[in-house]
């Protein structure tokens, strides 16, 4: 992959120096890995945008048969990783990676909405290509795991996605976006509805796709939600399996 992805500054990235996968959500991942028979053998997992590495440390602790590759472009987060002989850290964007092959798991924890470039349509294509690349590097029967914030439009499902991208990607509107609480102001962020992500997975070739609702969230006032044509915000897990043949 060689697409240009816009990166947050170090100061902006620090806001994400936390672990969003709580105990219940981790157990959900573990259950799904067992359901798809991933944990019945040695397996390789790639965590894209793995940050400080606390999530993959839990994977390594829980599954002694696992080895992980953590991909993270922000040096300050890479430096916070605890060394482990089964953890390979690559300080790079996913787009500039010399991709491996025959992995059993590729995971994106709240990362795909940060895959942004110039223009909304180009950004959507960048996200689509990332999912297609994940499909290619998975072994037959491998799975992709995606934790995401889903934004559902009140009338048109994709309208909040387009509006939030325009507000956050524009340098002109950056001060306004910051006042709204967007620390991605000036760079951009591109959320989608759950059904949109499922469409991208289907286009990439995944056939078995499951969605698990985790919780609803949202601190926007009714007026701001109305302005964004936003119906609902939720967090969920998408898991899709590559066909065995």
């Amino acid at each position: 992959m060689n697409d240009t992805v816009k990166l947050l500054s170090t100061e902006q990235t620090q806001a994400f120096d936390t672990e969003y996968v709580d105990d219940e959500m981790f157990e959900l991942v573990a259950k799904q890995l067992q359901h798809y028979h991933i944990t019945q053998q040695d397996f390789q997992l790639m965590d894209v945008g793995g940050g400080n590495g606390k999530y993959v440390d839990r994977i390594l602790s829980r599954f002694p048969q696992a080895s992980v590759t953590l991909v993270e472009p922000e040096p300050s987060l890479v430096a916070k990783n605890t060394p482990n002989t089964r953890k390979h850290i690559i300080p790079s964007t996913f787009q500039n990676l010399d991709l491996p092959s025959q992995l059993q798991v590729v995971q994106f924890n709240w990362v795909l909405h940060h895959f942004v470039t110039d223009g909304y349509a180009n950004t959507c294509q960048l996200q689509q290509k990332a999912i297609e690349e994940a499909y290619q590097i998975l072994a037959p029967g491998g799975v992709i795991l995606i934790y995401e914030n889903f934004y559902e439009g009140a009338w048109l499902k994709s309208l909040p996605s387009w509006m939030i991208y325009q507000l956050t990607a524009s340098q002109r509107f950056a001060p306004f976006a910051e006042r709204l609480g967007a620390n991605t102001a000036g760079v951009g962020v591109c959320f989608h509805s759950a059904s949109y992500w499922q469409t991208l997975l289907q286009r990439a070739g995944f056939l078995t796709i499951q969605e698990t609702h985790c919780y609803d969230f949202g601190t926007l006032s009714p007026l701001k939600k109305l302005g964004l044509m936003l119906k609902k915000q939720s967090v969920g897990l998408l898991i899709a399996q590559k066909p065995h043949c």
Side-chain angles (χ1 to χ4, degrees):
M1 300 177 69
N2 56 10
D3 299 273
T4 301
V5 60
K6 295 167 68 176
L7 297 177
L8 298 171
S9 68
T10 297
E11 291 74 20
Q12 289 173 308
T13 305
Q14 293 308 308
F16 303 106
D17 184 17
T18 186
E19 181 50 63
Y20 295 101
V21 179
D22 61 22
D23 290 344
E24 185 176 351
M25 297 168 80
F26 184 83
E27 290 305 319
L28 177 60
V29 170
K31 180 180 179 181
Q32 292 293 347
L33 293 180
Q34 293 164 355
H35 172 77
Y36 286 96
H37 308 293
I38 302 297
T39 59
Q40 295 181 3
Q41 57 188 349
D42 292 346
F43 68 94
Q44 299 181 59
L45 179 149
M46 174 180 284
D47 185 15
V48 181
N52 58 28
K54 291 181 179 179
Y55 173 77
V56 295
D57 290 343
R58 293 186 71 180
I59 290 289
L60 293 172
S61 177
R62 180 67 168 269
F63 302 109
Q65 69 273 44
S67 60
V68 302
T69 298
L70 184 148
V71 181
E72 174 56 55
E74 173 52 47
S76 64
L77 295 181
V78 169
K80 294 186 176 184
N81 273 263
T82 301
N84 188 304
T85 57
R86 293 186 285 133
K87 182 201 293 187
H88 177 47
I89 302 172
I90 303 179
S92 171
T93 64
F94 185 65
Q95 286 74 18
N96 291 327
L97 199 62
D98 184 12
L99 293 170
S101 61
Q102 299 298 300
L103 301 178
Q104 283 69 50
V105 186
V106 177
Q107 186 143 7
F108 297 90
N109 290 341
W110 292 279
V111 172
L112 286 171
H113 63 255
H114 291 298
F115 282 11
V116 295
T117 189
D118 293 326
Y120 180 74
N122 290 335
T123 291
C124 293
Q125 291 175 7
L126 184 72
Q127 294 169 332
Q128 174 73 76
K129 188 169 183 180
I131 292 175
E132 290 172 353
E133 293 285 355
Y135 180 90
Q136 292 301 320
I137 64 178
L138 283 171
V143 297
I144 182 173
L145 294 164
I146 301 173
Y147 267 119
E148 263 297 343
N149 296 342
F150 301 137
Y151 282 62
E152 307 289 343
W155 293 282
L156 298 175
K157 284 193 174 183
S158 295
L159 186 56
S161 169
W162 181 86
M163 295 179 70
I164 292 171
Y165 173 83
Q166 300 301 333
L167 285 171
T168 56
S170 169
Q171 290 292 333
R172 178 182 300 178
F173 294 124
F176 175 70
E178 288 176 353
R179 288 196 295 271
L180 290 176
N183 79 318
T184 56
V187 177
V189 66
C190 191
F191 297 105
H192 294 294
S193 65
S195 61
Y196 184 89
W197 289 117
Q198 291 184 47
T199 297
L200 297 191
L201 289 164
Q202 290 171 349
R203 290 175 182 170
F206 291 101
L207 299 180
T208 304
I209 303 171
Q210 296 185 45
E211 176 197 349
T212 300
H213 175 270
C214 295
Y215 57 87
D216 295 334
F217 74 98
T219 58
L220 295 176
S221 68
L223 183 60
K224 290 177 181 178
K225 290 181 67 175
L226 179 62
L228 293 172
M229 306 297 179
L230 183 62
K231 178 181 180 181
K232 181 180 178 181
Q233 298 161 272
S234 65
V235 168
L237 173 66
L238 290 170
I239 182 167
Q241 185 177 40
K242 183 175 181 177
H244 286 275
C245 59

